[in-house]
Amino acid sequence: MTAPRKIIIDTDPGQDDAVAILLALASPDLEVLGITAVAGNVPLQLTARNARVVCELAGRPDIRVFAGCDRPMTRKLVTAEYVHGKTGLDGITLPDPTMPLQDQSAVDFIIDTLRALPEGAVTLCPLGPLTNIATAFARAPDIIPRVAEIVLMGGAYFEVGNVTPAAEFNIYVDPEAAQIVFRSGVPLVVMPLDVTHKVLTTRPRVEAFRALGTRVGHAVASWTDFFERYDMAKYGSQGAPLHDPCVIAYLLRPDLFQGRHVNVEIETQSDLTRGMTVADWWRVTDRPANAMLMGSVDAEGFYTLLTDRIARL
Ligand code: RIB
Ligand code: CA
């Protein structure tokens, strides 16, 4: 077996972030070097708490969790309690974490880790606004060529936005950060709503989590029962998109996803289209391709992988 892939998960838990973290911790193919919390779905104090709640649920109090930026680089924080609930992990009440938050800031952890490990050794997996990543890049540009790849959940193109008609939440919250990341030159794999809206938490899929008969399976089913209500009402769909686990699933089974290597730029000037991911899907410009923008996924294969791995916890 090849050595586990070293990753840093940057996250704003959020029920779907929580499922992504569980998938990573259940997979020996991955070595989670640390989890860096960022303000997004709920404020930083809660995302830093929730990340530790998930680690303890997975029986992994050894995982180092770091607190990062508590607001976007230049804008006011926009949160999403209307989707995730007041705690960010509504759906089930889990005990407050006893594992400590690391003293080091998330941004310093990202910088130090990339400097300490060989070039190309670390993959960054952002699941929320890109504030921590962009702040690290701005503070220490020398780390940028050291990043192996960034596999992120964010953006929307054919599926259009979920927080405005033009923008997906993670990019909308901090468009300036997203612009830094998308212009960094680091190889990007992007999981936009175009893909995440094809992995819906249908009843059989949620019941499969519950049928595991484990604490983790029960928590995942309870989270999805809560998390899906907003999107099902909004889209009239048979379930909600399970966005963030697509990032980790890609690391484990890239063959589940298909996309196109194109140029993606971020709108930062207009109020109307702030945070839009403008993808040159038909290559009508000479802007260089900077992102593998995913467009389709084997949803059954995704849920089989997810359920099989969650069963191990
Ligand atoms: O738009 C969906 C994204 O925003 C997901 O990452 C969800 O957790 C929220 O952060
Ligand atoms: Ca998220």
Side-chain angles (χ1 to χ4, degrees):
M1 180 170 141
T2 53
R5 185 167 181 173
K6 297 181 187 308
I7 68 171
I8 293 174
I9 298 175
D10 190 69
T11 178
D12 63 336
Q15 291 88 350
D16 61 317
D17 302 68
V19 179
I21 293 167
L22 291 172
L23 177 57
L25 296 181
S27 302
D29 339 38
L30 304 175
E31 180 186 354
V32 179
L33 299 174
I35 295 178
T36 51
V38 67
N41 285 321
V42 287
L44 177 68
Q45 194 187 355
L46 280 172
T47 59
R49 171 196 179 274
N50 294 345
R52 287 177 287 154
V53 166
V54 178
C55 288
E56 290 190 345
L57 174 68
R60 293 297 305 278
D62 58 300
I63 296 289
R64 293 180 296 165
V65 176
F66 302 80
C69 301
D70 64 1
R71 74 201 63 189
M73 296 182 96
T74 61
R75 295 173 189 258
K76 256 169 51 63
L77 176 64
V78 172
T79 53
E81 288 88 348
Y82 57 91
V83 177
H84 300 274
K86 201 155 171 35
T87 70
L89 286 183
D90 284 28
I92 183 172
T93 303
L94 291 171
D96 282 333
T98 55
M99 64 187 278
L101 201 53
Q102 298 298 308
D103 294 336
Q104 188 179 34
S105 79
V107 173
D108 288 340
F109 167 71
I110 292 166
I111 293 169
D112 292 354
T113 303
L114 283 164
R115 282 177 174 163
L117 290 174
E119 191 164 318
V122 181
T123 297
L124 301 179
C125 302
L127 310 177
L130 291 162
T131 317
N132 287 345
I133 310 298
T135 302
F137 284 7
R139 194 178 297 171
D142 61 287
I143 68 171
I144 295 173
R146 307 186 64 80
V147 181
E149 188 172 49
I150 295 177
V151 185
L152 69 90
M153 190 278 139
Y157 192 57
F158 294 104
E159 185 65 21
V160 303
N162 60 0
V163 67
T164 71
E168 175 279 325
F169 179 80
N170 288 340
I171 310 298
Y172 176 80
V173 169
D174 200 340
E176 285 71 23
Q179 187 171 64
I180 288 170
V181 171
F182 277 72
R183 287 185 173 173
S184 68
V186 174
L188 298 180
V189 175
V190 178
M191 295 289 165
L193 299 181
D194 307 44
V195 160
T196 68
H197 280 213
K198 293 171 182 161
V199 286
L200 298 180
T201 58
T202 61
R203 278 296 94 196
R205 289 165 176 169
V206 174
E207 289 317 315
F209 291 131
R210 191 167 277 113
L212 293 174
T214 61
R215 248 183 105 229
V216 173
H218 173 63
V220 170
S222 306
W223 280 331
T224 39
D225 282 346
F226 178 87
F227 166 80
E228 70 181 14
R229 86 217 176 284
Y230 178 81
D231 280 336
M232 285 173 75
K234 176 177 172 182
Y235 296 108
S237 50
Q238 292 305 308
L242 203 51
H243 307 284
D244 294 336
C246 289
V247 168
I248 307 302
Y250 172 81
L251 299 176
L252 301 170
R253 286 278 313 279
D255 59 294
L256 292 174
F257 299 89
Q258 287 78 40
R260 190 178 287 190
H261 195 229
V262 294
N263 177 269
V264 178
E265 290 284 340
I266 310 296
E267 171 57 56
T268 60
Q269 303 305 310
S270 151
D271 287 340
L272 179 64
T273 54
R274 153 204 168 159
M276 181 175 182
T277 44
V278 181
D280 184 4
W281 189 258
W282 300 109
R283 300 189 179 102
V284 296
T285 75
D286 57 3
R287 292 197 292 260
N290 59 342
M292 184 64 189
L293 188 66
M294 292 302 180
S296 57
V297 57
D298 167 0
E300 277 310 305
F302 170 82
Y303 274 94
T304 300
L305 169 71
L306 185 53
T307 310
D308 288 352
R309 293 291 168 106
I310 297 284
R312 300 180 183 185
L313 295 173

